[in-house]
């Protein structure tokens, strides 16, 4: 029997590539529309990956957008977000999706803390620094193994 490698269908989004070289040291409130939109989208998809509902994801994305001085509209599904950010001189649209869904309350708690601190950080942190903060949150491991989740789902369904 030959070994075949299964290719993953979802490519990783390289968020750090959305950081402009000339704006690396500027506070995020002075960043380009593309950079601001990358933060809004990344935070939104991270919240969605934790099992957060669409209303809460949209509310958080709106909060980030308001702090950075842009307008954001979003269509949020169970596994995907399509959003457009508007600024005086243009628009930026992005569509992102998750390969799977789950619940991670530890990561959600960290993201909520990030959201509370963002207004203060936006005035001082660069886009690169914000993405580094999000990198650390994203690295948090899942709360439960797959078999734990399957067992819990089975028990809930049997109830």
């Amino acid at each position: 029997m030959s070994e075949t490698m299964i290719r993953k269908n979802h490519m990783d989004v390289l968020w750090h590539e959305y950081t402009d070289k000339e704006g690396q040291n500027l506070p995020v409130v002075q960043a380009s529309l593309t950079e601001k939109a990358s933060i809004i989208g990344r935070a939104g998809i991270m919240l969605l990956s934790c099992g957060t509902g669409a209303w809460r994801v949209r509310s958080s994305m709106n909060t980030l957008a308001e702090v950075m001085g842009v307008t954001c509209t979003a269509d949020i599904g169970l596994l995907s977000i399509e959003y457009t950010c508007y600024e005086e001189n243009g628009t930026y649209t992005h569509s992102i999706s998750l390969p799977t869904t789950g619940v991670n309350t530890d990561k959600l708690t960290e993201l909520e803390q990030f959201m509370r601190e963002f207004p203060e950080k936006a005035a001082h942190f660069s886009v690169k620094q914000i993405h580094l903060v999000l990198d650390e949150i994203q690295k948090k491991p899942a709360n439960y193994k797959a078999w734990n989740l399957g067992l819990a789902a089975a028990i809930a369904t049997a109830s």
Side-chain angles (χ1 to χ4, degrees):
M1 184 166 149
S2 68
E3 273 189 50
T4 58
M5 188 165 121
I6 299 174
R7 290 182 52 189
K8 65 181 185 174
N9 286 331
H10 286 61
M11 296 177 71
D12 294 330
V13 177
L14 305 175
W15 295 107
H16 293 271
E17 290 186 7
Y18 289 91
T19 304
D20 297 338
K21 297 290 182 221
E22 55 276 352
Q24 256 184 358
N25 298 319
L26 293 175
V28 73
V29 293
Q30 297 174 14
S32 71
L33 178 58
T34 303
E35 291 174 310
K36 291 174 183 178
S38 74
I39 292 169
I40 294 167
R42 184 175 187 191
I45 202 73
M46 287 175 69
L47 283 162
L48 193 62
S49 75
C50 293
T52 309
W55 181 88
R56 198 170 179 186
V57 172
R58 183 176 290 111
S59 176
S60 295
M61 291 173 74
N62 287 343
T63 298
L64 295 173
E66 288 172 11
V67 169
M68 292 186 280
V70 299
T71 301
C72 182
T73 61
D75 180 21
I76 302 168
L78 291 173
L79 294 173
S80 63
I81 300 175
E82 294 178 19
Y83 67 103
T84 300
C85 293
Y86 303 87
E87 208 173 39
E88 284 180 23
N89 56 353
T91 64
Y92 180 84
T93 300
H94 202 152
S95 178
I96 47 183
S97 63
L98 296 169
T100 61
T101 188
V103 175
N104 188 331
T105 54
D106 290 339
K107 191 181 289 188
L108 179 57
T109 300
E110 292 288 327
L111 285 166
E112 288 174 339
Q113 181 68 27
F114 168 80
M115 295 302 300
R116 282 191 295 276
E117 295 172 352
F118 187 78
E120 184 181 313
K121 288 182 178 182
H124 306 289
F125 280 46
S126 69
V127 174
K128 183 177 181 178
Q129 290 170 313
I130 294 292
H131 279 301
L132 291 173
V133 170
L134 292 173
D135 285 347
E136 290 303 311
I137 296 170
Q138 195 164 6
K139 289 177 189 174
K140 286 192 77 65
N143 293 355
Y144 304 101
K145 305 265 187 249
W147 71 268
N148 296 106
L149 296 173
L151 181 61
I155 292 169
T157 303
S159 297

